[in-house]
Structure formats: structure tokens, C-alpha cells
Amino acid sequence: FTKFDLDEDGEIDVSELAAGLDSIGAFLNEEQIELFRDDIDDDSNGTISLNEFLMAVRQRQRIRDNSRKHQRRSTHVAFDELHEMSEALEEAWALIILISEEDPEKWDESVEKMFASFDKDGSDSVDISELGRGLSSLGVNLSSEQLIAFRDSVDSDGDFRISLSEFKEGLRKRMEEGSPDEMSMMFDAIMSQVPKNEQKSGLTFTQLCGWDQLQELETNCIVDKPWLEKIFNELSTEDGSDRVLPKDKFVDFAEKLEEANDIEEGSSASNVAWRKIVKLCISDPNGWMRRMEMMYLDMDKDKDGEVDALELGAGLKSLDIVLTEAQLSAFKNDIDKDGSDGISLDEFLMAVKVRVKAAAEDANSENNVAVEKAWSKVLGGADSDPSGWAKRVEEMFTKFDLD
């Protein structure tokens, strides 16, 4: 705010706002600048005060945090759907393999007979609708997405149909290798979105960044492009002039993403835990320090002057704060400044002090904003009739004086 307020009058006008946004790489035209200002300027005086600016930033942080929670849920839903697809395809292949192996000596004949039962129009290839009906006749009912994934797993020439040779080859490969894991399926799903003439031995960085789940994590600010590129370069190999991430390294890449997601979730859970602890402190402004000391001593069950993860988890649980192992680790590491793997009394009290102080500052700032808004309303009423200002204020006072 201070950098934007060029004339240091405590207010940012539209020209200062434009220059300030330009300085941080946010280039807006004149109409967009005015919309941006109006979105912050609560009292509609044409300028932005520090309190208005702080309030606007806080509101958008809340919106972002809510969006992150939604994005995390969306990411987990996507992984759940992938798990469901994996199980469905595994069931389909298992049944096909079982039927084909009823008479090992007549394997080719059995597979050809099964394929012919799928190929209703006798075109020597099976389209998606024939595949669905054929699998359904075997008692396997797949969704449209699962059917497409099944077809793509054997459609080697990319013509969206399955020939007899492709069917046999896919079946032999499945019998030799077993059912693919979820990460392999995920890799194949991403690769299937790449045009055949652009496919290589693995995924390029650009192709990988087109993956929906990865875009959700990036939008969610859990990962960013530089971090992704660093991990990609560590795991990728050369394919001609490009670097690509092969399928066998994709599992490692996905694990890194899961770790990043877990860290973000642990951080969010830590924030919830801290809010509860700070609330306890604010409810007892004179005795909160003693209360936190008692809480620490209760957690330190073995009385060694350090609270480990197990003791911390039990202590938080007594406050109805239940964290997963990853979330508890994130909470502990946030307090354990010396990296001793245990929390001392000083570290615990310092962490509480910092958060109580921050909460008090936030509350004070919000109170100031509320007071400023109230004065804005009062002044608005007084200024509505400049010539009769004194009379208007007297009338307002009379309305307030209810008794």
C-alpha cells in the first residue's frame, strides 16, 4: 500500500493504483483500473484507504482458501474415480482372460469366437458401442469413460476401433504383465490425449502440464511451474531433442504431487488447530499464558521437557482437534524451530504468542474498518444536506437517543 501511495496522503487514487499495479506486472486498461478501484472503495469517495485495501485483500484470501478446499476435494474425487475405473477395467480383463483360458489348447479359437460375438456388423473391427454390448453380454457393465479407456488400451493404430489382432495382442500383453496399476492407467490416459504423430517414449513437460489433475493442483497453488519443471528435469530422459517423462518414472512424479498435496492439507489442518487454540487464549485474556503452560505440562507425559508427536497428538485430541499423521507432523514442525524433533515449552509459548498477537491485530484492523464504515454512514447522512448540516446532525442524534 505504501509503495502505491506515491504522494503519501494515506489514500490511493486511480492514477497511483494504475502505476502501482503496473509495477507488479498487473497491466489493466483505464476501464479495468476503475472497476478494480470500485471493487475496493467501500465508501465510494474515489480513493482507496489502507483499511479498505486490507479488508479487500483479506476477503480475497478467504475466497482463495475456500477455493483451495474445493480444489483439493475435486482432486481427491478425480483420484477416487480413477481408482474405480481401474477396478472396473481389471474386472473386465480378468473375465476375458478367464474365458480365453478355458481351453488353453484352443486359445486362438476361443479369442476369435469372443471377438466375433462382439463384432455384430461383421466389419472385422469392434467400435465403442459393440464393445459395450459385448462386455455387457459377459456381465461386465462399464461407464462410457471406462469403455473408452478399455478401447484406448488396445487400439494401437488410433482408429478408434479394435481389430482382432489388436484384441489378441492386448489380451496377450495383459496376461503376461498382469493388470496395470492406477499410475500406469493415468499415464496412458494423458498420453491418449496427445495426437499420435506427437507421441514419444514419454510425456514432454508441455504435455504433462495439460493433465487436468495437475492443472487443478497448480490453480490451487499447491504446486507451481518452476517446482514442476525441477521435478520433471530430475526424472525425465532424453528422446531426440526433447526431454520426456517415461511411464516408469511417472509413478515417482505422481508420488511427489501426492506429497505436495498432503503438505498443503497438513498446513490447512494446522491452521484450524491454531484457530481453536487462539480462541481459547482470547477467551481468557488475563490467564491465557498460564493456561497454555498447563496445557504444555499436561501434554509432556514423560516429563522430559519435550513434547513429541505422540504427546502433541494426544494433547490436541483433548481439545477435540484430531489430525492425521501427516497433518500432525506439519503442525509439530511449525513449532519445532530448532529441529530437535521435540517441542520445548519456550517454543510452544512463542508459537502461541505469535498467533495470539496476529489474531489481535486482525481483530483490531477489522474493528477499525467497521468503525470507519460507521463514520462513513454518519458523514453520508450529514453531507446529504450541506446547507442544513447542523440540523441533520441534531436529527440524527435525536433518533439515536431512544430514551
Side-chain angles (χ1 to χ4, degrees):
F1 181 91
T2 304
K3 287 182 179 178
F4 284 18
D5 183 18
L6 299 177
D7 59 8
E8 300 180 351
D9 66 347
E11 299 277 338
I12 297 174
D13 61 27
V14 71
S15 62
E16 291 173 322
L17 180 62
L21 291 174
D22 282 353
S23 71
I24 60 172
F27 304 104
L28 304 181
N29 62 36
E30 186 175 341
E31 182 181 359
Q32 292 165 344
I33 288 288
E34 289 179 355
L35 286 172
F36 191 98
R37 178 202 60 196
D38 293 343
D39 195 34
I40 305 173
D41 182 20
D42 280 342
D43 60 8
S44 302
N45 68 346
T47 60
I48 300 170
S49 68
L50 175 58
N51 282 331
E52 287 173 331
F53 191 72
L54 289 173
M55 181 58 74
V57 171
R58 264 200 300 274
Q59 287 173 343
R60 279 150 189 78
Q61 283 176 328
R62 291 191 188 103
I63 292 170
R64 181 199 61 191
D65 290 343
N66 289 335
S67 174
R68 286 183 174 182
K69 290 175 186 176
H70 172 73
Q71 290 286 352
R72 280 195 295 276
R73 285 195 293 270
S74 298
T75 302
H76 286 304
V77 167
F79 276 96
D80 288 344
E81 288 176 350
L82 185 67
H83 179 69
E84 184 181 336
M85 178 181 288
S86 175
E87 289 185 335
L89 297 193
E90 187 173 341
E91 179 187 348
W93 277 116
L95 184 58
I96 291 173
I97 291 171
L98 183 65
I99 294 172
S100 70
E101 290 182 327
E102 286 179 351
D103 187 351
E105 295 181 0
K106 296 183 178 179
W107 186 87
D108 278 299
E109 186 179 334
S110 297
V111 174
E112 289 168 8
K113 185 177 179 181
M114 190 189 312
F115 183 85
S117 70
F118 287 10
D119 182 19
K120 294 297 183 183
D121 62 4
S123 62
D124 294 329
S125 63
V126 173
D127 62 25
I128 196 73
S129 61
E130 290 175 324
L131 178 64
R133 288 195 297 271
L135 291 174
S136 183
S137 70
L138 300 178
V140 179
N141 296 305
L142 302 183
S143 68
S144 56
E145 288 184 352
Q146 292 165 350
L147 277 172
I148 291 171
F150 186 100
R151 180 202 63 196
D152 290 348
S153 69
V154 291
D155 177 25
S156 57
D157 62 6
D159 66 351
F160 305 108
R161 302 177 71 88
I162 301 173
S163 66
L164 175 59
S165 61
E166 287 174 332
F167 188 65
K168 283 185 175 181
E169 183 61 30
L171 187 50
R172 285 195 188 95
K173 186 176 179 182
R174 189 58 55 91
M175 292 169 69
E176 292 169 1
E177 299 178 358
S179 299
D181 58 30
E182 293 178 16
M183 290 300 107
S184 295
M185 284 186 57
M186 193 180 291
F187 181 92
D188 292 339
I190 304 170
M191 185 65 84
S192 69
Q193 298 173 13
V194 180
K196 291 287 183 181
N197 62 338
E198 296 178 17
Q199 290 185 5
K200 295 180 176 291
S201 59
L203 293 165
T204 66
F205 184 67
T206 302
Q207 292 164 354
L208 192 63
C209 288
W211 175 29
D212 293 341
Q213 276 84 8
L214 191 57
Q215 289 177 350
E216 286 181 358
L217 292 176
E218 191 178 347
T219 301
N220 192 16
C221 301
I222 294 174
V223 297
D224 56 25
K225 277 284 189 345
W227 182 87
L228 289 171
E229 196 159 12
K230 176 177 177 291
I231 300 302
F232 176 85
N233 288 334
E234 289 175 2
L235 299 173
S236 60
T237 57
E238 289 185 2
D239 184 347
S241 59
D242 293 318
R243 292 194 66 83
V244 297
L245 184 71
K247 182 183 282 192
D248 62 335
K249 292 294 183 181
F250 182 75
V251 175
D252 297 331
F253 183 82
E255 285 177 354
K256 296 281 188 183
L257 294 183
E258 283 289 277
E259 287 173 9
N261 201 33
D262 288 343
I263 290 170
E264 174 66 17
E265 288 194 326
S267 177
S268 297
S270 294
N271 291 337
V272 173
W274 275 119
R275 280 197 292 272
K276 288 190 176 183
I277 292 173
V278 168
K279 189 176 180 180
L280 282 175
C281 296
I282 292 174
S283 68
D284 187 9
N286 296 320
W288 72 266
M289 179 71 78
R290 179 176 174 78
R291 187 170 185 174
M292 289 299 105
E293 286 176 335
M294 293 296 294
M295 179 179 171
Y296 180 88
L297 293 174
D298 286 342
M299 287 192 293
D300 185 17
K301 296 297 183 184
D302 57 9
K303 306 305 177 187
D304 66 347
E306 294 271 318
V307 170
D308 60 25
L310 288 176
E311 291 172 327
L312 180 63
L316 293 175
K317 195 171 183 179
S318 69
L319 300 175
D320 294 325
I321 301 170
V322 181
L323 304 181
T324 65
E325 187 176 342
Q327 292 165 349
L328 186 61
S329 177
F331 188 87
K332 178 181 69 66
N333 293 338
D334 193 31
I335 307 173
D336 178 23
K337 297 303 181 185
D338 62 6
S340 65
D341 206 34
I343 301 170
S344 68
L345 176 59
D346 286 342
E347 286 175 327
F348 182 70
L349 292 179
M350 180 57 69
V352 175
K353 281 180 185 176
V354 168
R355 283 158 182 82
V356 169
K357 182 181 178 182
E361 289 174 350
D362 281 347
N364 186 51
S365 181
E366 288 182 5
N367 289 339
N368 288 340
V369 170
V371 171
E372 285 298 319
K373 283 188 175 181
W375 272 117
S376 177
K377 294 287 186 182
V378 171
L379 293 173
D383 292 341
S384 62
D385 183 11
S387 60
W389 180 88
K391 185 178 179 181
R392 287 284 297 158
V393 173
E394 287 173 7
E395 289 174 352
M396 194 184 304
F397 182 86
T398 303
K399 286 182 180 179
F400 285 11
D401 185 16
L402 299 176
D403 60 0

